[in-house]
Amino acid sequence: MIKITVLVFVLFLSACKTEKFETKKNNPLTKENLYFGHKTPGLNPEIFIPKKSTSQDWELWDTDSLNMDEFYFTYQGNDPFEPLVVVYRNEGSYYRVNKYSFKHNPSDSNILYSRWTYIERTDSGWSKIKSLGSMFDREDLGIMVMSVSSKGTLVFDDYKSNKGIRISRIIDGKREEPKLLGKEINSGELTAHPFIAPDESYLIWDSEREDGYGKSDIYISFRQQDGSWGSTINMGDKINSKLVESGARLTPDGKYLLFERSEEKVREGGSTYWESKKYWVDSKIIEQLRLE
């Protein structure tokens, strides 16, 4: 009965579209459709208000051989904060729904990375979720965010050990064992949510440090001519506040920096919860910091 219900749901989404589900040759997030209907910000961050999502924003993978035990949709809408993949997995008596914030290699839109997994574009749609292997798919690693450069360099955090951000490059065609970055990056507390520039010219992350504006600020380090990482730079009071700033990354075309600002609030009964707002700002703010 559950499989029939899910199949009806899938057919409903298909019927909402005027064309047949097909594998798109372009990256799901492109400069042609990313900002439709959105007034873009300048050098002062603005709250991002997404448009309402519709069935046309989602593409079902591999409709010719649909596996009802696990299937997913890829996002193609104009909300850069929306997770790229939504997975439906049969748990026996119900379907578990998980959203995955996949990242693409800027030089290869046929592979998307998320934490210790990836998916590949095939002739019939996106592949099943695959493991990145034993160097990343480990019980002692708690990866929240994985970022990838055009060269295939991977940077990621680790909430289990709280030791900070690791990096793994491709050297002579082989993937190197992930290693911790230096103290320029891994200082302070709760160092997490890294983003490496497509050309590896800078690294952005968030952390709690004594010199910060609030509980957690967003920082940047620029790559030096000798290949080392430069000193840590707080991204300033336009980005950071007394609240919690985190999760900074660029839109795929590099034009805008996205991040979230969160505040802990108290309910009438005394329990607490977090309220987050999404912000975006012109990425030229990064070049201003580089020149300072």
Side-chain angles (χ1 to χ4, degrees), residues 97-108:
V97 182
N98 291 306
K99 289 188 175 183
Y100 291 84
S101 296
F102 277 82
K103 309 295 192 305
H104 74 281
N105 180 323
S107 65
D108 185 0

Side-chain angles (χ1 to χ4, degrees), residues 15 93 102 129 176 182 193 213 222:
S93 60
F102 277 82
I129 297 177
E176 71 171 353
H193 310 121
Y213 290 87
F222 294 98

Side-chain angles (χ1 to χ4, degrees), residues 23-275:
T23 301
K24 305 234 179 202
K25 300 303 180 184
N26 298 320
N27 186 40
L29 297 178
T30 64
K31 63 182 180 181
E32 287 79 15
N33 68 6
L34 187 57
Y35 312 120
F36 285 178
H38 296 293
K39 182 180 180 296
T40 56
L43 291 173
N44 291 309
E46 297 181 11
I47 294 176
F48 180 86
I49 302 176
K51 303 293 181 180
K52 185 177 180 180
S53 181
T54 70
S55 62
Q56 293 181 333
D57 294 332
W58 297 91
E59 179 182 8
L60 178 67
W61 73 282
D62 200 2
T63 55
D64 294 332
S65 57
L66 184 63
N67 180 356
M68 297 305 296
D69 289 329
E70 180 178 284
F71 60 92
Y72 52 84
F73 294 85
T74 54
Y75 182 69
Q76 304 173 93
N78 59 5
D79 181 353
F81 287 93
E82 183 71 43
L84 278 179
V85 178
V86 174
V87 178
Y88 291 79
R89 182 174 293 115
N90 188 354
E91 298 290 345
S93 60
Y94 67 99
Y95 274 87
R96 182 183 298 277
V97 182
N98 291 306
K99 289 188 175 183
Y100 291 84
S101 296
F102 277 82
K103 309 295 192 305
H104 74 281
N105 180 323
S107 65
D108 185 0
S109 63
N110 291 316
I111 302 179
L112 297 174
Y113 299 85
S114 179
R115 303 171 77 181
W116 53 84
T117 64
Y118 71 99
I119 58 176
E120 295 179 291
R121 194 192 301 274
T122 68
D123 292 338
S124 58
W126 290 98
S127 70
K128 289 185 176 181
I129 297 177
K130 303 177 182 180
S131 170
L132 281 170
S134 58
M135 286 192 293
F136 305 93
D137 194 355
R138 292 163 31 189
E139 287 293 329
D140 61 325
L141 280 182
I143 302 174
M144 293 186 293
V145 171
M146 174 79 76
S147 181
V148 56
S149 75
S150 295
K151 297 178 181 179
T153 296
L154 300 174
V155 294
F156 60 93
D157 52 15
D158 177 12
Y159 71 85
K160 287 187 177 180
S161 71
N162 194 28
K163 290 182 178 179
I165 296 169
R166 289 176 168 84
I167 188 168
S168 172
R169 300 170 298 168
I170 296 177
I171 301 177
D172 297 329
K174 295 183 179 181
R175 170 72 59 190
E176 71 171 353
E177 191 80 23
K179 58 184 179 182
L180 284 168
L181 289 169
K183 62 181 181 179
E184 297 83 6
I185 312 299
N186 290 322
S187 295
E189 298 293 330
L190 302 178
T191 301
H193 310 121
F195 174 83
I196 190 168
D199 62 359
E200 302 186 12
S201 61
Y202 58 83
L203 182 70
I204 298 176
W205 71 98
D206 49 82
S207 183
E208 291 186 6
R209 298 191 179 204
E210 292 183 358
D211 62 350
Y213 290 87
K215 293 182 178 179
S216 176
D217 283 1
I218 296 173
Y219 294 87
I220 189 169
S221 173
F222 294 98
R223 180 84 78 175
Q224 305 300 293
Q225 290 185 349
D226 63 0
S228 64
W229 292 104
S231 59
T232 297
I233 300 173
N234 186 299
M235 293 197 71
D237 58 6
K238 287 185 178 181
I239 300 294
N240 296 310
S241 71
K242 64 180 181 180
L243 304 179
V244 173
E245 281 77 31
S246 63
R249 71 259 191 208
L250 288 183
T251 53
D253 59 11
K255 291 183 177 180
Y256 302 99
L257 180 72
L258 313 173
F259 66 96
E260 295 190 22
R261 182 172 291 158
S262 304
E263 180 180 8
E264 189 175 22
K265 294 194 172 184
V266 181
R267 297 184 179 92
E268 290 185 2
S271 62
T272 60
Y273 67 98
W274 285 93
E275 181 179 272

